[in-house]
Amino acid sequence: MIKWLRKSYNIVVNSIAFFPAIIAIGFLLLSWAMLELDFSAMGKQIKGNYSWVRLKDASTARSIVSTIASGIISLTVFSFSMVMILLNQAASQMSNRMLESTIGNRFQQIILGFYIGTIVYALFLLSTIRDIYSGVYIPALSIYLLLLLTVLDIFLFIYFLHYVTQLVKFEIIIGRVGKKTFKNLKKACFVEQPFPFEPQGNPQHINVPDSNFFQEFNKMAMLELAVEFEGMIRFLKPAGSFLLKGIPLLAFFGTKKLTEEDKKRIIDTVDFYKGQPIEKNHYFGFHQLAEVAIKALSPGINDPETAVLAVDALTGLFLIRMEIL
């Protein structure tokens, strides 16, 4: 159960829809708060004392909100259609795996979330407008806030156009993958250190339950099990490897005879799933940069400058890797 929750958490948090969903929920709560203010005694007093924040015609208010909602929907579709076209062109000359980090870019997700949040705000607001003759019962304050959000959306769109044109440059993509690989390489270097002494005795092997990629493991949970069983656990295969069912992955050195339940508890701390997330394994960054260099030198692409950029990034990473050996 804990393993399933850990894997589900990683999938949800790294999903492109995670930040947009959180932001959209925030806008939904904002719309509810603004409507509470609009229909409260203070909101009615504000609209009663200041005529310039009052909308007397419900049909006018409904037209404003519906126009904004349809316009932001069109803006969202156009923005991310353009992103997909540019990414498709970059993927055809580099590597599909290289673009995983680009698609999951946090800034893009925040922009998408702001667009979706504005749409959610507008639709929720539209459902509350009623044909009432008194202007104090029309959510004018919420509508004026929606106008400000729309202006902000337009400025975000202008900056987003500039950002996307820079995002798909090959040197930017290669540099981002190189930086992410470097960051995770430094973070994982303590795991790569050799044992201070060689374990003694015959090991008890723990096999792979199903054929899949070995991605990572829960370090604290495995350490607790090693202490509980009074032994040492060693990995026989590096992270990022595709392992077939039944292949030995772990070796346990200790006096305790492990039962099948004990082995299952240990193997449950290891995560197996498909994909090449650099955030989980820095080796994938090396593989992706090498693939870009090889593909750039192919007769179909023939882009030596991109290959040089990838080789330069690999050289820097190999230098760091040599330093932490």
Side-chain angles (χ1 to χ4, degrees), residues 175-193:
R176 180 180 292 109
V177 173
K179 290 179 180 178
K180 189 179 295 186
T181 305
F182 170 76
K183 177 182 177 181
N184 288 278
L185 177 62
K186 297 288 285 186
K187 184 173 65 175
C189 66
F190 74 95
V191 181
E192 304 289 336
Q193 298 299 324

Side-chain angles (χ1 to χ4, degrees), residues 167-226:
L167 179 69
V168 296
K169 290 183 177 180
F170 291 169
E171 58 268 26
I172 300 296
I173 297 176
I174 292 174
R176 180 180 292 109
V177 173
K179 290 179 180 178
K180 189 179 295 186
T181 305
F182 170 76
K183 177 182 177 181
N184 288 278
L185 177 62
K186 297 288 285 186
K187 184 173 65 175
C189 66
F190 74 95
V191 181
E192 304 289 336
Q193 298 299 324
F195 285 110
F197 58 89
E198 284 297 322
Q200 302 297 323
N202 295 323
Q204 302 177 57
H205 291 116
I206 303 173
N207 300 331
V208 178
D210 293 296
S211 300
N212 216 326
F213 285 91
F214 163 37
Q215 299 286 2
E216 61 174 346
F217 64 98
N218 189 329
K219 302 174 183 64
M220 291 304 300
M222 184 169 288
L223 181 60
E224 291 173 358
L225 289 174

Side-chain angles (χ1 to χ4, degrees), residues 57-74:
D57 188 4
S59 61
T60 301
R62 190 180 294 109
S63 298
I64 292 173
V65 177
S66 59
T67 301
I68 290 176
S70 59
I72 298 299
I73 291 174
S74 301

Side-chain angles (χ1 to χ4, degrees), residues 102-168:
T102 305
I103 296 174
N105 184 274
R106 294 303 187 194
F107 178 75
Q108 289 181 178
Q109 295 180 11
I110 292 173
I111 295 295
L112 177 61
F114 207 92
Y115 287 165
I116 295 176
T118 305
I119 295 170
V120 170
Y121 182 99
L123 294 178
F124 187 76
L125 182 61
L126 185 62
S127 66
T128 64
I129 299 175
R130 299 290 184 269
D131 291 320
I132 300 175
Y133 294 104
S134 178
V136 296
Y137 292 102
I138 296 176
L141 298 178
S142 301
I143 293 174
Y144 282 118
L145 178 60
L146 177 61
L147 291 173
L148 292 177
L149 293 175
T150 304
V151 172
L152 181 58
D153 280 340
I154 294 173
F155 281 104
L156 285 176
F157 172 70
I158 295 172
Y159 179 73
F160 185 71
L161 291 178
H162 167 74
Y163 180 81
V164 168
T165 56
Q166 302 298 315
L167 179 69
V168 296

